Amino acid sequence: MRLKTIARKLIPYGAITPLALIVLVAYVGTVLWSIKISLTSSRSLPTDTFVGMTQYAKLFENERWLLSIENLAIYSVLFIVASMVIGFLLAAFIDQKVKAEGVLRTVFLYPYAMSFVATGLVWQWMLTPGIGIENAVRQWGFPNFEFDWIIDQDKVIYTIVIATVWQTSGLVMAMMLAGLRGIDQEIWKATRLDGIPAWRVYLSIILPMMAPTLATVFLLLSTAAIKLFDSVVAMTQGGPGTASEVPAKFIMDHLFGRANIALASAGAVMLLVPVVALLAPYMYARMHARSNARSHATSAVNKKEVPLNKVSRGAT
Amino acid sequence: MAKAEVLHWWTSSSESAAVKTIADAYRKAGGVWVDTAIAGADQARAVAINRIVGGNAPVAAQFNTTKQFQDLVEQNMLNNMDDVAAAEGWDKLLPDTVLNVIRIKGHYYAVPVNLHMQTWFWYSKAAFKKAGIAKEPATIDELFAALDKLKAAGLVGLAHGGQAWQETIVFQAMLANVGGKDLYLKVIRDRDAKAINSDAFKNVLLAFKRMQSYIDAGSPGRNWNDATAMLISGKAGFQIMGDWVKGEFAAAKQTAGKDFGCIAGFNPTAPYLIQGDAFVFPKTTVEPVVRAQKLLAKTLMTPSVQIEFNKLKGSIPIRSDVDTSSMDLCAQTGMAIMKDKSRVLGISEVYLTPDQNGALQDILTAFWNTKMPVEKVQKSIVNALKE
């Protein structure tokens, strides 16, 4: 009898151990490994010749890296804001009990299901002056129309924003819609009785209630922005020149083509910094919210999860 | 049985046809060929290095005849092929530029299989006709005159794929033709700050930038084969690119000398910049594997393999003693130039580490695409090549 209770207590630990080990070895382990490599003089093979912070110094003398950081900053802000605004508007639109909701949802969500390596090529064609959108508009009778951002040093990064927002807003819509469906209908009835305009309800009541959804979406978009790579490779290969370089591409180039894994690791470690800076306060807030929720018995997280399942089932 | 797993990145249709000739010859010599083709040179090299480090090395792996495998040699991870090299007399057969890459501290660590000349000036005869250019330009001034004529006729002067590596090719062509051999070596091999800051090098950079005024607006991001298509259709006059473009011309049923022309250099002493593919042999002492490696090394350089392989690949044989009469006009021109050993130099990757070469590429593409003052370019190149 007693043995059984001990076993019962141990089983959960046994079940969680493999996962914990994978997290420790595959995530924490590789992070530590990258930090170690970034402190050595490794080139195509890892070596143990430690050179201190030299690689970091080199990194911040490298014009291409500095440009990548600048591009990432511009991209992240625009990408996150635009995806969230458009995603929310789409969700609010679909939430008006429109006809053929399922079809619309699938249409909006579809871009996310496709690999950007494929769609990036299509975007590249559309944006290339002479053959794409520019040419089409000219043939519609606007011979002086110009849209050559993708070959413009200063504007090329915005074309990447446009293409990736197109891809991501559908997913944001699905998550926002789940959040909207989690709002109690009684609230809508009450605001209607009070005669409050719909936009005001969204702004002052619904959005604050959707805070956990917004936080999740924000976190997803932030990580997507930081690891931006395939879209750039598919659309511009970092060009023209180095105008649309991003840190992830810098790291991949130096890791393989340029056989400089130490510098690449230093870059990777620098990319980890904003992620940790972003994640830490968020995790702290979530943990706080969870312990509060537990004491209140009704959890905002649970409320959100039910309709999310419904939506994803409907969309597939 | 000498069983050899060979890791390479020859996956396009012409490339896989070419590699099949090696595989067949190896089988005929009594070996067993196990083909591991990985698309993309960077990826293939990454896999090769990971497998060597991880203790599951292939019997042979493809690299370029550049500094790419130098780290592997320094870490003592490759078998040398000294006895094959001695028996076959590589020292007499191979150009010095190649020997200097594969012979490290007196040992031979790679078997080169082909040579690509990277800085050919290809031109479209149809475009020349439209622009009224009577004869092939023979000097750099005539080149610019021809480009001006093409531009005036409403054609694209230079069909350029606006990607960083392609810009580096245009630069190297300018350094070889405008700067000449001595300046080329001083800048690319010796990384001499005085030469980089000189007026002669400044002229090279300005000629490079001048080429940029002959491209079309759709150039950024274009692939090299799309640029070749502009020559095939007669929309553009020139393209500066390696001899792999012959595959595109061949696929469009165009012949060298009739539909398109190829110029190796505008100066009779202009460097002939080569680069090629080679196989390295990961370290092992297992007797059958070593035997397989040596058999493969011998097969790769057999004259008949060299001719058949290079005809399909679009490159030229690594050996100077093979009969080239069955190859096309441009390949024969190349082989003739190869006889003058003083003209044969390597491309920048032969002399620079992948990292230095990449840093140079970053600066050149920035110069090509922005309004960067030429003095700043010179300063940046000195910095990038310092270590």
Side-chain angles (χ1 to χ4, degrees), chain B residues 156-197:
Chain B
V156 178
L158 181 70
H160 177 66
Q163 296 168 346
W165 67 275
Q166 302 191 50
E167 269 127 36
T168 309
I169 285 183
V170 175
F171 164 75
Q172 290 184 72
M174 288 297 128
L175 181 51
N177 282 283
V178 178
K181 181 183 174 182
D182 291 339
L183 187 66
Y184 185 90
L185 285 176
K186 267 192 197 144
V187 172
I188 300 292
R189 184 189 62 191
D190 307 336
R191 298 177 277 138
D192 175 0
K194 226 174 89 193
I196 298 170
N197 282 320

Side-chain angles (χ1 to χ4, degrees), chain A:
Chain A
M1 241 2 199
R2 217 141 141 241
L3 217 66
K4 228 177 188 173
T5 40
I6 292 174
R8 198 171 289 154
K9 268 186 185 159
L10 280 178
I11 281 169
Y13 289 101
I16 206 96
T17 307
L19 183 72
L21 278 178
I22 288 171
V23 168
L24 271 179
V25 174
Y27 292 91
V28 181
T30 44
V31 167
L32 293 177
W33 173 259
S34 295
I35 294 175
K36 185 199 145 193
I37 293 292
S38 74
L39 299 173
T40 68
S41 64
S42 307
R43 305 204 71 89
S44 48
L45 299 163
T47 60
D48 286 337
T49 324
F50 284 92
V51 292
M53 301 299 281
T54 314
Q55 303 292 358
Y56 291 91
K58 268 189 204 159
L59 196 62
F60 283 95
E61 276 168 15
N62 191 315
E63 280 174 38
R64 189 176 145 191
W65 173 259
L66 297 175
L67 184 66
S68 314
I69 296 280
E70 198 187 311
N71 277 342
L72 184 63
I74 298 172
Y75 172 82
S76 304
V77 171
L78 293 177
F79 168 73
I80 294 173
V81 170
S83 299
M84 287 184 85
V85 170
I86 294 174
F88 179 74
L89 291 178
L90 285 177
F93 160 68
I94 278 194
D95 201 33
Q96 309 304 310
K97 301 196 173 61
V98 289
K99 271 186 194 163
E101 185 191 314
V103 176
L104 283 172
R105 225 163 36 198
T106 313
V107 167
F108 291 143
L109 199 55
Y110 203 69
Y112 195 74
M114 289 194 286
S115 146
F116 208 91
V117 175
T119 48
L121 211 60
V122 177
W123 273 99
Q124 192 204 326
W125 288 333
M126 293 208 301
L127 293 167
T128 301
I131 56 170
I133 296 174
E134 186 186 271
N135 193 36
V137 176
R138 281 181 184 179
Q139 280 174 349
W140 290 337
F142 302 94
N144 294 322
F145 179 78
E146 261 188 40
F147 186 59
D148 58 355
W149 287 12
I150 200 164
I151 58 161
D152 187 312
Q153 287 283 316
D154 304 319
K155 296 192 186 117
V156 62
I157 193 72
Y158 303 114
T159 64
I160 305 210
V161 174
I162 295 172
T164 46
V165 166
W166 166 82
Q167 195 198 25
T168 314
S169 357
L171 177 80
V172 175
M173 173 212 70
M175 296 186 65
M176 295 276 198
L177 190 59
L180 281 176
R181 293 282 152 89
I183 305 287
D184 197 337
Q185 286 301 313
E186 295 301 316
I187 291 170
W188 279 109
K189 278 184 196 153
T191 56
R192 231 167 278 141
L193 277 179
D194 289 343
I196 304 170
W199 65 269
R200 191 64 209 265
V201 182
Y202 273 117
L203 217 60
S204 305
I205 302 173
I206 307 295
L207 273 177
M209 286 183 74
M210 281 171 63
T213 312
L214 294 177
T216 310
V217 169
F218 178 75
L219 192 77
L220 268 181
L221 293 177
S222 312
T223 48
I226 283 171
K227 65 184 186 190
L228 172 70
F229 173 75
D230 52 355
S231 325
V232 174
V233 171
M235 282 177 64
T236 65
Q237 291 193 9
T242 47
S244 57
E245 287 294 345
V246 286
K249 183 163 174 291
F250 179 95
I251 293 166
M252 290 302 279
D253 278 359
H254 283 77
L255 210 49
F256 298 117
R258 299 194 176 172
N260 195 342
I261 60 175
L263 192 67
S265 302
V269 172
M270 288 321 295
L271 268 200
L272 190 68
V273 173
V275 175
V276 171
L278 211 72
L279 212 64
Y282 175 75
M283 292 297 271
Y284 181 76
R286 278 298 282 267
M287 262 157 71
H288 225 68
R290 204 167 294 161
S291 57
N292 279 348
R294 218 173 272 150
S295 54
H296 285 291
T298 50
S299 145
V301 180
N302 279 341
K303 238 184 207 170
K304 193 190 97 223
E305 269 163 9
V306 176
L308 180 65
N309 290 340
K310 225 187 255 166
V311 166
S312 56
R313 221 178 284 140
T316 44

